[in-house]
Amino acid sequence: MASVLLAVFVNGKICKNPNMVSANDFFFPGLNKPGNTSNAQGSMVTLVNVNQFPGLNTLGISLVRIDYAPYGLNPPHSHPRASEFLFCVEGTLFVGFVTSNPEDPNVKNKLFTKTLYPGDVFVFPEGLIHFQFIVGKTNAFAFAGLSSQYPGVITIANAVFGSDPPINLDVLTKAFQVDENVIKYLQAQFK
């Protein structure tokens, strides 16, 4: 009677049959190559999570390389399943995060920011909205480590103004307390 290996499902991914695992499952080449920053944001994130790198399955970690053109922006976003630490390798980055929904209704969300230079590290707590913006006329890049094999990302403007179908104008005009023409303009930027 032949033995049967059953697939093991861990953290949303099926573990590879141990007899089929190779050194390549634990190797990811190419983070020395800059990403293409020719886009509206002037930045490119190169993901290294469990989808690109099977050896990360069950390890609870992932990595990204972020490249920035001059004045490039990694726009406000959050990672619902991970904290992040950002290591500035080259350039000058203005970074920050915002606290979320304080328990005391009299306390406002607080913004924490810092200017990073090569060799500096900044931490973004899990789930909080954060951003990076390059200060200056030169390219920059950074590496970020995340505390999840698949941290997820929610880019705030894309989610709010670029949904399909669009979020109702009445909802957004009331939420942002602006004229509906402003909302229509913002939604048009994401079509």
Side-chain angles (χ1 to χ4, degrees):
M1 182 182 263
S3 67
V4 176
L5 284 176
L6 299 176
V8 179
F9 195 69
V10 179
N11 294 332
K13 291 291 176 186
I14 294 175
C15 290
K16 195 171 186 179
N17 179 330
N19 297 327
M20 304 298 289
V21 172
S22 75
N24 285 334
D25 293 312
F26 301 94
F27 174 73
F28 187 91
L31 280 184
N32 60 323
K33 298 174 187 155
N36 183 354
T37 58
S38 300
N39 55 56
Q41 301 298 333
S43 70
M44 173 59 78
V45 176
T46 303
L47 299 172
V48 184
N49 64 37
V50 71
N51 289 339
Q52 294 81 27
F53 194 4
L56 293 177
N57 198 22
T58 75
L59 298 183
I61 56 173
S62 57
L63 178 71
V64 297
R65 175 185 170 134
I66 312 163
D67 290 283
Y68 311 85
Y71 304 107
L73 170 70
N74 189 6
H77 64 282
S78 68
H79 303 289
R81 296 179 292 277
S83 295
E84 171 183 347
F85 70 89
L86 182 84
F87 173 66
C88 180
V89 177
E90 183 177 293
T92 305
L93 297 172
F94 177 70
V95 304
F97 69 88
V98 181
T99 61
S100 179
N101 300 334
E103 288 183 27
D104 182 344
N106 298 315
V107 174
K108 294 191 180 270
N109 294 340
K110 186 172 181 180
L111 174 65
F112 292 86
T113 63
K114 198 74 176 161
T115 300
L116 304 184
Y117 302 94
D120 291 344
V121 175
F122 196 77
V123 175
F124 306 110
E126 181 175 340
L128 295 185
I129 296 171
H130 59 282
F131 60 88
Q132 303 102 40
F133 178 72
I134 182 169
V135 180
K137 298 177 183 177
T138 62
N139 292 334
F141 82 92
F143 289 112
L146 297 112
S147 63
S148 171
Q149 68 179 22
Y150 190 65
V153 65
I154 301 168
T155 307
I156 308 308
N158 294 18
V160 173
F161 300 111
S163 69
D164 185 17
I167 296 174
N168 181 287
L169 280 174
D170 294 332
V171 171
L172 295 179
T173 55
K174 188 163 187 155
F176 289 96
Q177 300 175 20
V178 296
D179 182 82
E180 74 176 38
N181 289 323
V182 173
I183 300 298
K184 287 178 183 177
Y185 172 79
L186 291 169
Q187 287 176 325
Q189 304 310 303
F190 293 91
K191 287 186 180 186

